[in-house]
Structures are given as C-alpha cells and as structure tokens.
Amino acid sequence: MSEQNELASDYERLYSAAARMMWAQRTRSWHDADSRWPAERRTAWRTLEQVLLDAEAALGAPRPGEGSDPARHLISRRASGDADRPLPFDEAVQDWKQRLDADPGFLVERWEPYPDYYMEPGSCVIVPSSPYFAMIGIFPELFHRLAPGRPAVTIGSGASDLCVVAHEAADALRAPLGIATPTPQPGNAPWIAPVSRPVSDLPDLPERFEALRRAAWYAAEAMPSPEELKGTLNFTVQLRAAVAATDIQLMLTGQVAPAWREEYEQIDPARHGVVGLVSGPGDEAVPVPFEKDAAKWRGLNATSRGRRRNTSGSTTRTGAKPRTW
C-alpha cells in the first residue's frame, strides 16, 4: 500500500470512528445549554463536530450536472430551480420541514361533545394496526443504514420487491385523500453517481488528518470509560458513545480497534446489509431477507380491512383506537 493510500485509509477509519461516537450519543448534549456535561467535554465535542463538518464542506458544494452521490445526496430527485444539480441531505430536510410546518395537521380543537382535540373529517386516513406497524418498522432500519460514518453497502437486487411494497403502501395512504401519486424513480436513474466520493478525497489530506487526530483524541479523552459509566447513574452519556470513545483512543495509540460497530455484534454490514434488514430486535438479531419482509408486508396489506378516509371527526380515544398516518 502506498503512503498516500495508507493515509487515506487511516483518515477514513478515524473519520468513521469519530462520526460513530457522535451518532451513538443520540442527543446533541454538547450543544444543550442545560446539559450536565462538563464544559471541557462540550467544547471538545463541538470542536470535533466542526472538524468533521469542515472536511465535508471542503469536498465542495454540488455543481450543476454533477451526479447525485448516494452518500451525500437524495437520489429520488434533484434540487429545485433552474440548475440541474444534486439535492444535499440538509436541503432535503429543510424542504420536508417547510412542508410539514405548512400543514395544519388533522387535529382541531372542539368543545362538543366535550372539550378535546378531534380528527378533522377528511384530513387523515385510518390505518389498521398491523400494516401500520409494518410501515413504521422500516424506520429503525433507515436510521441505522444512514448513520454517519457507517461503511457504505450496496443493497442487493433482492430489495426491489420491498421497494415496490413500500410504494404500494404509500399509494394506498394517498388514495383516500385524492392525493396524486408521484412517479417513482428507478434505481438506475441517469443522475445517480455509480461511485461515492470517499471522505478522504481532500486536497490537504495530511493537514486534515492531523486536525481530526487532535480533535478526536480530546473529544474521546473527555468521555468516561464504559467501565466507569456502568458503575454510575450517569444517564447523560450513552454506553455506545463511551465504547466508541475507547475505540478511538485505542486506534490513536496504535492498538487494534474497530472503526465501526453495529448495534448487534453478529451483524456484518458488508455481508448482511446487502441481502436483508439488519436492525432486528434483541441480541440474537439476524438479518431478515428483503424478500421475506416484503412478502410479510404485502400479506398484511392484503388481509387487513384496508385504509379508509376519516369522515366522522371522532377523537382518537374512541372506538377501536385507530392509528393515524
């Protein structure tokens, strides 16, 4: 391995470990004014966060005509406007937030037959519990697959049917409300870049690596060890974040440590993430093949009593406690 390739590999491993530590914390305690974190730890974590953000910014903003990188951009559509350019995740999030903020929701305050918030007739869809839980069950999977620093995995063709079922479920939710069904984009859309740009593709990689080394060390050093955490009632630090901090310190002192750990040790993202879902419950979680999950989801949709538009205006506390989407 050449010196440059070795530097790139070391940078990517440390980048992954640092991103994992921050993601594992779940809450942004280092930005919380009411956090019980020591000031030194909060400062160190903010510094590390900025180093990671600066490195991503150094890769440059998406340019018109550039392919959409699945690691950085939404691949289902391009950015709005005159220029044909990729849609970064942060822009997509802002777009979704604006759409949600503009939606008044389906609950309205009424005083009859007693004061409460009622479902506005015609504004929501009643969903049976089984297909509802099948639909939201995909979210933990997305949460883990999109984790910052997680090794990139190409999903196998076996997931195509699960994608079709997801579209069918979404269409069934839109139909009672008369909402137009968007045209799904194929996975081989011409604007999708075939290869993601590595995080080490930086013009000043040696300087960036040194900055990351310093920031990651101080942020990890400021964390309690897993052993110290287990002996206290300190719930301000996630155990997985403490484990990641220990891995960073081992890595930076030349010892063997993984850059990434899955939630369940028996899951290998490079092997299992290609063929199935990996965020199953319990320590004995095993990958569920995409085809099996698709068949289960489709079966629930077929055997349920279906979705219907709410026209009664009844509260969610009456009747059979319907789930709303």
Side-chain angles (χ1 to χ4, degrees):
M1 180 183 292
S2 69
E3 185 176 342
Q4 183 64 23
N5 288 341
E6 185 175 354
L7 176 62
S9 177
D10 289 344
Y11 180 89
E12 290 172 8
R13 281 178 48 79
L14 183 55
Y15 184 101
S16 181
R20 169 168 64 97
M21 180 177 70
M22 304 198 84
W23 175 76
Q25 181 55 28
R26 301 296 175 95
T27 60
R28 300 177 77 224
S29 306
W30 58 100
H31 283 286
D32 187 355
D34 298 326
S35 173
R36 288 185 289 164
W37 274 25
E40 178 184 2
R41 184 190 302 157
R42 292 171 59 192
T43 299
W45 273 56
R46 285 196 296 267
T47 299
L48 175 59
E49 179 183 50
Q50 194 59 52
V51 168
L52 294 173
L53 291 174
D54 288 346
E56 185 64 29
L59 293 175
R63 299 182 299 273
E66 180 183 0
S68 295
D69 185 343
R72 295 175 173 81
H73 311 133
L74 202 67
I75 62 173
S76 59
R77 60 187 173 95
R78 303 283 275 182
S80 58
D82 298 331
D84 175 34
R85 65 178 180 84
L87 178 62
F89 289 139
D90 57 346
E91 286 188 28
V93 170
Q94 289 302 317
D95 177 61
W96 290 326
K97 284 183 176 179
Q98 291 173 3
R99 289 163 59 189
L100 289 172
D101 291 343
D103 186 347
F106 59 85
L107 293 181
V108 293
E109 186 177 11
R110 292 180 183 169
W111 294 89
E112 297 294 340
Y114 48 82
D116 203 347
Y117 282 91
Y118 292 75
M119 291 188 291
E120 179 71 11
S123 67
C124 58
V125 177
I126 305 299
V127 181
S129 60
S130 294
Y132 167 79
F133 283 116
M135 282 185 280
I136 66 172
I138 201 70
F139 294 153
E141 183 74 15
L142 294 175
F143 176 71
H144 286 85
R145 283 185 180 265
L146 296 176
R150 191 178 191 269
V153 176
T154 300
I155 299 175
S157 59
S160 59
D161 195 37
L162 181 60
C163 181
V164 170
V165 177
H167 280 290
E168 291 173 352
D171 293 345
L173 288 173
R174 297 185 183 101
L177 299 176
I179 300 175
T181 300
T183 302
Q185 298 296 338
N188 59 352
W191 64 72
I192 302 177
V195 179
S196 292
R197 189 176 181 183
V199 294
S200 61
D201 189 12
L202 297 166
D204 51 352
L205 185 57
E207 293 80 5
R208 294 278 180 186
F209 183 44
E210 185 57 34
L212 180 57
R213 279 176 56 91
R214 291 196 304 269
W217 176 262
Y218 288 125
E221 188 181 40
M223 291 284 282
S225 69
E227 292 72 25
E228 292 171 339
L229 196 60
K230 291 176 182 178
T232 69
L233 295 177
N234 181 3
F235 300 111
T236 68
V237 174
Q238 294 291 321
L239 179 60
R240 291 191 180 93
V243 170
T246 298
D247 287 339
I248 288 174
Q249 293 178 79
L250 291 173
M251 188 182 300
L252 291 178
T253 54
Q255 302 178 65
V256 177
W260 183 264
R261 292 179 188 264
E262 284 293 303
E263 183 173 7
Y264 305 109
E265 293 183 1
Q266 68 271 27
I267 297 295
D268 175 7
R271 217 159 33 92
H272 300 136
V274 177
V275 298
L277 308 182
V278 297
S279 61
D283 293 338
E284 301 302 321
V286 294
V288 178
F290 294 125
E291 297 89 344
K292 182 176 180 180
D293 206 71
K296 177 182 178 181
W297 192 347
R298 181 172 278 121
L300 288 172
N301 289 341
T303 58
S304 71
R305 56 188 175 88
R307 300 147 179 82
R308 62 182 177 84
R309 186 174 180 174
N310 174 54
T311 57
S312 67
S314 61
T315 68
T316 56
R317 297 189 304 182
T318 61
K321 296 183 180 179
R323 299 285 179 178
T324 56
W325 186 266

